[in-house]
């Protein structure tokens, strides 16, 4: 194989992980999806129910998993059948 003058670089861990975990859209249908924007906003798809809710902790049942969100001034800003949008100061997320 001929060298074209470009140096081969080692694939970063982030790139390797992204490539390895890339799944087609059909494979993730119905799977939980969590999106955290900074430490202030959380969007969650495909949950079953809210187990507990306070300004300091929110627990969500996802069927085979449970999400425990801790922080301060936590609020549910939008809730639909399978979607949840939370705001506040997020200190930690725990997936159980």
């Amino acid at each position: 194989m001929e060298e074209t003058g470009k140096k081969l670089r080692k694939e970063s861990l982030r790139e390797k992980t992204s490539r390895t975990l890339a799944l087609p859209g059909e494979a993730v249908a119905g799977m939980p999806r969590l999106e955290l924007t900074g430490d202030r906003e959380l969007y969650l798809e495909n949950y079953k129910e809210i187990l507990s809710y306070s300004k300091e902790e929110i627990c969500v049942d996802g069927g085979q998993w449970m999400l425990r969100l801790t922080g301060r001034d936590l609020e549910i800003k939008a809730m639909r059948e399978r979607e949840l949008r939370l705001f506040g100061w997020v200190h930690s997320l725990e997936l159980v």
Side-chain angles (χ1 to χ4, degrees), residues 28-45:
V28 294
M31 296 288 292
R33 178 173 178 255
L34 184 137
E35 182 180 314
L36 180 63
T37 305
D39 62 352
R40 297 282 310 191
E41 181 180 350
L42 180 119
Y43 175 74
L44 178 63
E45 283 183 351

Side-chain angles (χ1 to χ4, degrees), residues 50-59 74-77 86:
I50 297 171
L51 299 172
S52 65
Y53 171 57
S54 73
K55 293 279 188 186
E56 293 80 35
E57 181 180 85
I58 299 174
C59 292
L74 299 175
E75 297 180 65
I76 296 174
K77 286 293 188 177
L86 308 169

Side-chain angles (χ1 to χ4, degrees), residues 10-12 21-22 24 27 37 39 46 49-50 54 60 63-64 70 76 78 85 87 89 94:
K10 189 174 181 179
E11 187 176 36
S12 75
L21 295 179
T37 305
D39 62 352
N46 298 321
E49 66 179 311
I50 297 171
S54 73
V60 179
Q64 297 179 352
T70 61
I76 296 174
R85 188 168 302 276
F87 287 88
W89 296 99
E94 182 181 3

Side-chain angles (χ1 to χ4, degrees), residues 17 23 26 32 54 72 81 94:
T17 302
L23 298 171
E26 313 82 60
S54 73
R72 77 180 146 86
E81 184 178 340
E94 182 181 3

Side-chain angles (χ1 to χ4, degrees), residues 9-23:
R9 67 177 182 82
K10 189 174 181 179
E11 187 176 36
S12 75
L13 179 60
R14 175 183 281 173
E15 292 168 331
K16 190 179 292 185
T17 302
S18 176
R19 181 179 49 77
T20 302
L21 295 179
L23 298 171

